[in-house]
Amino acid sequence: MNAPIRVALTGAAGNIGYALVFRIANGDLFGPGQPVQLRLLEIPPAMKTLEGVAMELEDGAFPLLHDVILTDDARMAFDGANWALLVGARPRGKGMERADLLGANAPIFKAQGAALNERAAADIRVVVVGNPANTNCLVAQRNAPDIPAERFTAMTRLDHNRAKSQLAKKAGVPVAEVTRVTVWGNHSGTQYPDAYHALIGGRPAPEVIGDEYWIREVFIPTVQKRGSAVIEARGQSSAGSAANALINHVQSWYGGTPAGDWVSMAVHSAGAYGAPEGVFFSYPVTIRDGVYQIVEGLDLSPFDRERLRITGEELLQERQDALQVLP
Ligand code: NAD
Ligand code: LMR
């Protein structure tokens, strides 16, 4: 058996946390030969609920789960962590935008960035899920000056999966036939789910779908607004699909992307494709040996460029709004 991988999860007693921990314990992140240790972080009022979650983990008798520590101290949670899944944060309710959460949530990521810097393992990899995810990721990264920026990512895999499913449904094919989907920019209403570079059954998606109106006026807004649609229907934000997307994000980063395909991840921008520098911008990436690379050489149309500009501007505005917690 390999040495255990230590995974820190914040907000472990919340909705996403509850949908996630059993899958992590089951080995879904790193495969069936790889044991895991869980470090579950919560705030003091949620510690009792967290104890109940831990009881259920114990009752699952998961062979790959080597030990579980519950704590309300971020430094203890991140001590020696190889992976940090930063989920714990307030979710939005009906009628709110994700950016409305910045004031409440950014300070959480400032403190957690500092704790990661102090205590995480040298190979730490961070995925931020708590909203607004891209800018919270920036806040955590900037407060962790000793950790390379490349080790921080924010999750846009849920948007990526949503885009894939919508294209598959429209084309009447299984989702596995849809490849090279990209979500560009912010995990927000300005994100740009890109069907133009996607393939369906190996052919250009626009050609297979043959309905330009649908791509621009139905597909794009459906993916952009899917989080709100789920909140409207469920009365709570997405949890099962978010946990699933987080598992997919880690699986890709750890295990790599399949030949000929890519995934979407918000990563530290050095300005590729004209995005603003220094924000966390979602790009198409391929991954080998745990290292991601932004897909190069995609031809962007004026329509694509305008969409990237809009979402990039929103990220700059969010960064401006978060200045107080950015060193
Ligand atoms: P939730 O309210 O059910 O759970 C959040 C948990 O975080 C709570 O148990 C809370 O006690 C805990 N928490 C709060 N502050 C904390 C802190 N400082 N340290 C540790 N834990 C803390 O919410 P949820 O539905 O699980 O959603 C969590 C976050 O994920 C929200 O911000 C939501 O908007 C976001 N989200 C992002 C995506 C995405 O695609 N990026 C998808 C779904 C949800
Ligand atoms: C989602 O995309 O479902 C989450 O970010 C929750 C939300 O607020 O939309």
mmCIF file of all heavy atoms in Angstrom, residues 91-93 96-98 101 129 131 158-159 162 187 191 226-228 230-231 237-239 241-242, ligand 2:
data_model
loop_
_atom_site.group_PDB
_atom_site.id
_atom_site.type_symbol
_atom_site.label_atom_id
_atom_site.label_comp_id
_atom_site.label_asym_id
_atom_site.label_seq_id
_atom_site.Cartn_x
_atom_site.Cartn_y
_atom_site.Cartn_z
ATOM 1 N N PRO A 91 -23.014 30.121 1.257
ATOM 2 C CA PRO A 91 -23.577 30.043 -0.102
ATOM 3 C C PRO A 91 -24.547 31.197 -0.344
ATOM 4 O O PRO A 91 -25.056 31.792 0.591
ATOM 5 C CB PRO A 91 -24.329 28.711 -0.103
ATOM 6 C CG PRO A 91 -24.650 28.417 1.317
ATOM 7 C CD PRO A 91 -23.743 29.242 2.200
ATOM 8 N N ARG A 92 -24.797 31.500 -1.614
ATOM 9 C CA ARG A 92 -25.782 32.551 -1.896
ATOM 10 C C ARG A 92 -27.191 31.977 -1.802
ATOM 11 O O ARG A 92 -27.402 30.768 -1.934
ATOM 12 C CB ARG A 92 -25.550 33.176 -3.272
ATOM 13 C CG ARG A 92 -25.763 32.258 -4.443
ATOM 14 C CD ARG A 92 -25.654 33.014 -5.755
ATOM 15 N NE ARG A 92 -25.541 32.101 -6.881
ATOM 16 C CZ ARG A 92 -25.903 32.391 -8.110
ATOM 17 N NH1 ARG A 92 -26.419 33.579 -8.395
ATOM 18 N NH2 ARG A 92 -25.752 31.514 -9.086
ATOM 19 N N GLY A 93 -28.151 32.866 -1.583
ATOM 20 C CA GLY A 93 -29.564 32.480 -1.604
ATOM 21 C C GLY A 93 -30.212 33.021 -2.860
ATOM 22 O O GLY A 93 -29.539 33.605 -3.722
ATOM 23 N N MET A 96 -29.438 36.487 -5.129
ATOM 24 C CA MET A 96 -28.080 37.019 -4.919
ATOM 25 C C MET A 96 -27.175 36.608 -6.074
ATOM 26 O O MET A 96 -27.387 35.564 -6.680
ATOM 27 C CB MET A 96 -27.458 36.435 -3.635
ATOM 28 C CG MET A 96 -28.069 36.908 -2.353
ATOM 29 S SD MET A 96 -27.413 35.927 -0.969
ATOM 30 C CE MET A 96 -25.803 36.680 -0.718
ATOM 31 N N GLU A 97 -26.133 37.414 -6.327
ATOM 32 C CA GLU A 97 -25.061 37.005 -7.227
ATOM 33 C C GLU A 97 -23.920 36.457 -6.374
ATOM 34 O O GLU A 97 -23.815 36.777 -5.192
ATOM 35 C CB GLU A 97 -24.573 38.188 -8.071
ATOM 36 C CG GLU A 97 -25.559 38.626 -9.151
ATOM 37 C CD GLU A 97 -25.952 37.519 -10.121
ATOM 38 O OE1 GLU A 97 -25.094 36.688 -10.466
ATOM 39 O OE2 GLU A 97 -27.132 37.483 -10.520
ATOM 40 N N ARG A 98 -23.055 35.650 -6.984
ATOM 41 C CA ARG A 98 -21.971 35.056 -6.186
ATOM 42 C C ARG A 98 -21.040 36.130 -5.633
ATOM 43 O O ARG A 98 -20.503 35.997 -4.532
ATOM 44 C CB ARG A 98 -21.204 34.035 -7.017
ATOM 45 C CG ARG A 98 -22.075 32.849 -7.441
ATOM 46 C CD ARG A 98 -21.285 31.879 -8.282
ATOM 47 N NE ARG A 98 -22.096 30.812 -8.838
ATOM 48 C CZ ARG A 98 -22.494 30.726 -10.112
ATOM 49 N NH1 ARG A 98 -22.165 31.664 -10.967
ATOM 50 N NH2 ARG A 98 -23.205 29.713 -10.528
ATOM 51 N N LEU A 101 -21.135 37.658 -2.128
ATOM 52 C CA LEU A 101 -20.606 36.926 -0.972
ATOM 53 C C LEU A 101 -19.191 37.350 -0.601
ATOM 54 O O LEU A 101 -18.656 36.893 0.401
ATOM 55 C CB LEU A 101 -20.585 35.412 -1.286
ATOM 56 C CG LEU A 101 -21.944 34.767 -1.539
ATOM 57 C CD1 LEU A 101 -21.746 33.363 -2.102
ATOM 58 C CD2 LEU A 101 -22.742 34.699 -0.239
ATOM 59 N N VAL A 129 -13.556 26.230 -3.767
ATOM 60 C CA VAL A 129 -14.933 26.031 -4.220
ATOM 61 C C VAL A 129 -15.843 27.143 -3.680
ATOM 62 O O VAL A 129 -16.753 27.604 -4.357
ATOM 63 C CB VAL A 129 -15.444 24.639 -3.757
ATOM 64 C CG1 VAL A 129 -16.922 24.450 -4.078
ATOM 65 C CG2 VAL A 129 -14.618 23.533 -4.412
ATOM 66 N N ASN A 131 -17.660 30.411 -2.803
ATOM 67 C CA ASN A 131 -17.870 31.540 -3.728
ATOM 68 C C ASN A 131 -17.606 32.909 -3.115
ATOM 69 O O ASN A 131 -17.773 33.075 -1.908
ATOM 70 C CB ASN A 131 -19.317 31.492 -4.240
ATOM 71 C CG ASN A 131 -19.456 30.532 -5.395
ATOM 72 O OD1 ASN A 131 -18.614 30.483 -6.266
ATOM 73 N ND2 ASN A 131 -20.545 29.757 -5.395
ATOM 74 N N LEU A 158 -17.716 22.367 -12.453
ATOM 75 C CA LEU A 158 -19.171 22.178 -12.460
ATOM 76 C C LEU A 158 -19.759 22.833 -13.712
ATOM 77 O O LEU A 158 -20.613 22.256 -14.391
ATOM 78 C CB LEU A 158 -19.769 22.772 -11.177
ATOM 79 C CG LEU A 158 -21.284 22.705 -11.019
ATOM 80 C CD1 LEU A 158 -21.829 21.291 -11.200
ATOM 81 C CD2 LEU A 158 -21.695 23.243 -9.641
ATOM 82 N N ASP A 159 -19.274 24.023 -14.036
ATOM 83 C CA ASP A 159 -19.741 24.710 -15.254
ATOM 84 C C ASP A 159 -19.361 23.888 -16.486
ATOM 85 O O ASP A 159 -20.138 23.763 -17.435
ATOM 86 C CB ASP A 159 -19.105 26.099 -15.334
ATOM 87 C CG ASP A 159 -19.233 26.843 -14.022
ATOM 88 O OD1 ASP A 159 -20.355 27.217 -13.673
ATOM 89 O OD2 ASP A 159 -18.214 27.020 -13.328
ATOM 90 N N ARG A 162 -21.641 20.999 -16.731
ATOM 91 C CA ARG A 162 -22.963 21.470 -17.168
ATOM 92 C C ARG A 162 -22.970 21.700 -18.682
ATOM 93 O O ARG A 162 -23.924 21.331 -19.376
ATOM 94 C CB ARG A 162 -23.301 22.786 -16.442
ATOM 95 C CG ARG A 162 -23.649 22.600 -14.983
ATOM 96 C CD ARG A 162 -23.668 23.929 -14.238
ATOM 97 N NE ARG A 162 -24.184 23.759 -12.892
ATOM 98 C CZ ARG A 162 -24.037 24.641 -11.913
ATOM 99 N NH1 ARG A 162 -23.400 25.783 -12.136
ATOM 100 N NH2 ARG A 162 -24.537 24.410 -10.722
ATOM 101 N N HIS A 187 -16.249 31.979 -12.473
ATOM 102 C CA HIS A 187 -17.384 31.124 -12.087
ATOM 103 C C HIS A 187 -18.508 32.066 -11.646
ATOM 104 O O HIS A 187 -18.724 32.314 -10.466
ATOM 105 C CB HIS A 187 -16.980 30.185 -10.954
ATOM 106 C CG HIS A 187 -18.144 29.410 -10.397
ATOM 107 N ND1 HIS A 187 -18.876 28.513 -11.136
ATOM 108 C CD2 HIS A 187 -18.714 29.415 -9.173
ATOM 109 C CE1 HIS A 187 -19.837 28.003 -10.402
ATOM 110 N NE2 HIS A 187 -19.761 28.535 -9.207
ATOM 111 N N GLN A 191 -19.283 34.044 -17.030
ATOM 112 C CA GLN A 191 -18.443 32.974 -17.593
ATOM 113 C C GLN A 191 -18.810 32.742 -19.060
ATOM 114 O O GLN A 191 -19.957 32.976 -19.472
ATOM 115 C CB GLN A 191 -18.674 31.670 -16.829
ATOM 116 C CG GLN A 191 -20.067 31.104 -17.055
ATOM 117 C CD GLN A 191 -20.301 29.798 -16.303
ATOM 118 O OE1 GLN A 191 -20.158 28.753 -16.878
ATOM 119 N NE2 GLN A 191 -20.651 29.907 -15.034
ATOM 120 N N ARG A 226 -27.109 28.350 -14.550
ATOM 121 C CA ARG A 226 -27.547 27.065 -14.002
ATOM 122 C C ARG A 226 -27.514 27.041 -12.471
ATOM 123 O O ARG A 226 -28.387 26.456 -11.834
ATOM 124 C CB ARG A 226 -26.662 25.951 -14.561
ATOM 125 C CG ARG A 226 -27.138 24.572 -14.216
ATOM 126 C CD ARG A 226 -28.462 24.223 -14.869
ATOM 127 N NE ARG A 226 -28.650 22.784 -14.919
ATOM 128 C CZ ARG A 226 -29.573 22.167 -15.616
ATOM 129 N NH1 ARG A 226 -30.439 22.869 -16.333
ATOM 130 N NH2 ARG A 226 -29.662 20.868 -15.611
ATOM 131 N N GLY A 227 -26.513 27.698 -11.882
ATOM 132 C CA GLY A 227 -26.441 27.735 -10.418
ATOM 133 C C GLY A 227 -27.700 28.383 -9.834
ATOM 134 O O GLY A 227 -28.291 27.884 -8.870
ATOM 135 N N SER A 228 -28.134 29.489 -10.448
ATOM 136 C CA SER A 228 -29.349 30.171 -9.971
ATOM 137 C C SER A 228 -30.567 29.297 -10.175
ATOM 138 O O SER A 228 -31.477 29.265 -9.327
ATOM 139 C CB SER A 228 -29.588 31.474 -10.740
ATOM 140 O OG SER A 228 -28.473 32.295 -10.664
ATOM 141 N N VAL A 230 -30.744 26.085 -10.112
ATOM 142 C CA VAL A 230 -30.763 25.031 -9.084
ATOM 143 C C VAL A 230 -31.233 25.625 -7.753
ATOM 144 O O VAL A 230 -32.059 25.026 -7.042
ATOM 145 C CB VAL A 230 -29.369 24.366 -8.952
ATOM 146 C CG1 VAL A 230 -29.314 23.434 -7.754
ATOM 147 C CG2 VAL A 230 -29.013 23.587 -10.226
ATOM 148 N N ILE A 231 -30.743 26.820 -7.432
ATOM 149 C CA ILE A 231 -31.162 27.468 -6.174
ATOM 150 C C ILE A 231 -32.669 27.727 -6.202
ATOM 151 O O ILE A 231 -33.387 27.476 -5.229
ATOM 152 C CB ILE A 231 -30.379 28.786 -5.945
ATOM 153 C CG1 ILE A 231 -28.910 28.480 -5.669
ATOM 154 C CG2 ILE A 231 -30.983 29.592 -4.801
ATOM 155 C CD1 ILE A 231 -27.985 29.686 -5.674
ATOM 156 N N SER A 237 -28.204 25.894 -2.763
ATOM 157 C CA SER A 237 -27.325 25.795 -3.925
ATOM 158 C C SER A 237 -26.896 24.354 -4.160
ATOM 159 O O SER A 237 -27.017 23.496 -3.285
ATOM 160 C CB SER A 237 -26.148 26.762 -3.809
ATOM 161 O OG SER A 237 -25.226 26.368 -2.859
ATOM 162 N N SER A 238 -26.414 24.125 -5.360
ATOM 163 C CA SER A 238 -26.055 22.772 -5.796
ATOM 164 C C SER A 238 -25.063 22.164 -4.812
ATOM 165 O O SER A 238 -24.171 22.837 -4.317
ATOM 166 C CB SER A 238 -25.412 22.841 -7.185
ATOM 167 O OG SER A 238 -24.251 23.639 -7.121
ATOM 168 N N ALA A 239 -25.213 20.888 -4.538
ATOM 169 C CA ALA A 239 -24.300 20.241 -3.582
ATOM 170 C C ALA A 239 -23.767 18.930 -4.164
ATOM 171 O O ALA A 239 -22.560 18.739 -4.257
ATOM 172 C CB ALA A 239 -24.998 20.012 -2.257
ATOM 173 N N SER A 241 -23.851 17.844 -7.289
ATOM 174 C CA SER A 241 -23.111 18.063 -8.545
ATOM 175 C C SER A 241 -21.824 18.831 -8.287
ATOM 176 O O SER A 241 -20.822 18.646 -8.990
ATOM 177 C CB SER A 241 -23.991 18.803 -9.560
ATOM 178 O OG SER A 241 -24.420 20.039 -9.023
ATOM 179 N N ALA A 242 -21.842 19.690 -7.261
ATOM 180 C CA ALA A 242 -20.617 20.435 -6.925
ATOM 181 C C ALA A 242 -19.570 19.482 -6.341
ATOM 182 O O ALA A 242 -18.384 19.550 -6.693
ATOM 183 C CB ALA A 242 -20.944 21.550 -5.933
HETATM 184 C C1 LMR B 2 -23.265 26.773 -8.550
HETATM 185 O O1 LMR B 2 -22.757 27.116 -9.610
HETATM 186 O O2 LMR B 2 -24.209 25.967 -8.490
HETATM 187 C C2 LMR B 2 -22.688 27.316 -7.254
HETATM 188 O O3 LMR B 2 -21.675 28.260 -7.498
HETATM 189 C C3 LMR B 2 -23.729 27.850 -6.343
HETATM 190 C C4 LMR B 2 -24.266 29.166 -6.832
HETATM 191 O O4 LMR B 2 -24.343 30.104 -6.024
HETATM 192 O O5 LMR B 2 -24.628 29.263 -8.001
#
